[in-house]
Amino acid sequence: HEVMSDPDLQKCADLQESACAVICLVATNSTELRGKFGAAGCIQLVLRVAKLHESAELQVISCNALRALSLDTADAQSLLVESGGIDYALSAMKENAGEFRVQVAGCTLMQLLASKEDDVEIRRRLVANGALEATLHAMEVHEDNHEVLLVALLLVSTLCCDGPEPRERGLKGEGLRRVLLALRSEIADSDTAERGCQLFDSYAADSIACRTQLLAEGCDAVPFVATCSIQHPKRIEMQFYICSFILKLASDAPESRKRTGELGGVAAVIDAMRAS
């Protein structure tokens, strides 16, 4: 495309946007046509087109089209990963950091790849390629955008489900602060709040250093779960995570138990008991 004039290149971009939009629409609504698109090499084609044009609109449509093409088969998702889909999504998010729709589309595409429970390898590749850092950055840049925060929090919790290493990478330092700020903003959403409580419960189990971080001055984790206990009394699974989290925090030393109580941990446990 280096020899094309600017008007011709723009026309080409408009055409590709329209074509990707059609693929997205049709593939979303038809399993049969998803298979036909896949057999025709549409995943590789959409990736190629998306990399040729800088339009944020095209990046949104391309991410959505790739997600639609990969909806219901592990083979299609594996093909997307092997064809560079992870790197593409991360690049689109980086190059369009201020465009909230690109952040939503990129996170949503990666969430599809990460969400298969037994496919640990894809989640490891996402983490290794920088998906956590990109998602946390999106949460920081778009801290007041409900849509970005919801999909970003879902992706962070999914990527952190496999053990201490991804949790340390995502929650150490500024990561924990960003996650807590986002969770505070979206605490009314019961699914998001529950995932937050589960994430902190898992993180508290990882090490004394993690529990120390969660009890440190300025960390809002215990007050957050205490508020969740009050706002979502009917979510029994959430109440379990809250009690488990508080128990872990209080397990290390008398100072830890005192600090947990001061931050509202005891009240959270009592609220959970009343709720159940």
Side-chain angles (χ1 to χ4, degrees):
H1 67 273
E2 293 177 356
V3 298
M4 295 177 66
S5 66
D6 288 343
D8 285 341
L9 185 58
Q10 183 57 50
K11 288 177 184 177
C12 186
D14 291 343
L15 170 63
Q16 305 297 1
E17 283 182 18
S18 297
C20 288
V22 171
I23 291 172
C24 181
L25 179 63
V26 175
T28 299
N29 292 290
S30 172
T31 302
E32 179 183 357
L33 290 176
R34 278 197 291 276
K36 290 183 177 180
F37 279 137
C42 277
I43 286 177
Q44 298 93 323
L45 181 59
V46 171
L47 281 169
R48 182 184 172 204
V49 164
K51 292 173 183 178
L52 285 174
H53 303 286
E54 297 179 353
S55 159
E57 182 67 25
L58 181 58
Q59 306 312 316
V60 172
I61 295 171
S62 296
C63 283
N64 290 339
L66 291 167
R67 181 180 180 277
L69 289 168
S70 308
L71 272 175
D72 50 11
T73 69
D75 288 344
Q77 293 170 22
S78 296
L79 176 61
L80 176 56
V81 171
E82 296 306 321
S83 299
I86 292 174
D87 287 336
Y88 161 66
L90 291 170
S91 177
M93 291 174 67
K94 181 178 180 180
E95 293 172 8
N96 298 274
E99 295 283 347
F100 85 89
R101 292 184 306 138
V102 177
Q103 306 306 305
V104 170
C107 286
T108 303
L109 176 59
M110 290 191 289
Q111 174 62 30
L112 174 69
L113 297 175
S115 60
K116 189 178 178 183
E117 187 173 349
D118 59 349
D119 205 336
V120 177
E121 184 56 37
I122 288 182
R123 287 193 291 276
R124 285 177 178 166
R125 287 184 66 168
L126 282 160
V127 172
N129 286 26
L132 279 168
E133 288 82 358
T135 306
L136 290 167
H137 184 63
M139 291 163 59
E140 181 179 31
V141 174
H142 302 278
E143 61 182 1
D144 296 321
N145 188 294
H146 169 75
E147 196 173 353
V148 172
L149 294 182
L150 282 181
V151 297
L153 285 167
L154 175 59
L155 181 56
V156 168
S157 64
T158 302
L159 293 177
C160 287
C161 72
D162 292 316
E165 289 185 10
R167 285 193 288 272
E168 181 181 1
R169 184 163 178 167
L171 297 179
K172 65 181 179 182
E174 281 295 292
L176 179 59
R177 183 189 66 82
R178 291 179 190 173
V179 168
L180 274 165
L181 286 173
L183 284 169
R184 275 291 186 189
S185 296
E186 303 301 328
I187 196 170
D189 184 272
S190 58
D191 289 335
T192 298
E194 183 170 311
R195 281 191 291 269
C197 294
Q198 182 180 12
L199 177 60
F200 293 148
D201 181 41
S202 297
Y203 192 49
D206 289 341
S207 69
I208 292 177
C210 294
R211 293 190 288 276
T212 300
Q213 181 187 4
L214 289 162
L215 288 172
E217 189 71 32
C219 181
D220 202 24
V222 174
F224 166 75
V225 302
T227 304
C228 287
S229 184
I230 295 170
Q231 289 199 12
H232 304 287
K234 303 302 182 184
R235 297 291 294 247
I236 301 303
E237 193 76 11
M238 186 192 303
Q239 304 298 334
F240 167 79
Y241 291 133
I242 291 170
C243 290
S244 178
F245 172 60
I246 297 302
L247 177 62
K248 291 180 178 70
L249 290 182
S251 66
D252 292 321
E255 293 81 5
S256 298
R257 290 187 280 279
K258 179 181 179 182
R259 177 68 174 159
T260 302
E262 290 172 346
L263 291 171
V266 174
V269 171
I270 292 173
D271 287 333
M273 293 175 66
R274 287 172 176 164
S276 60

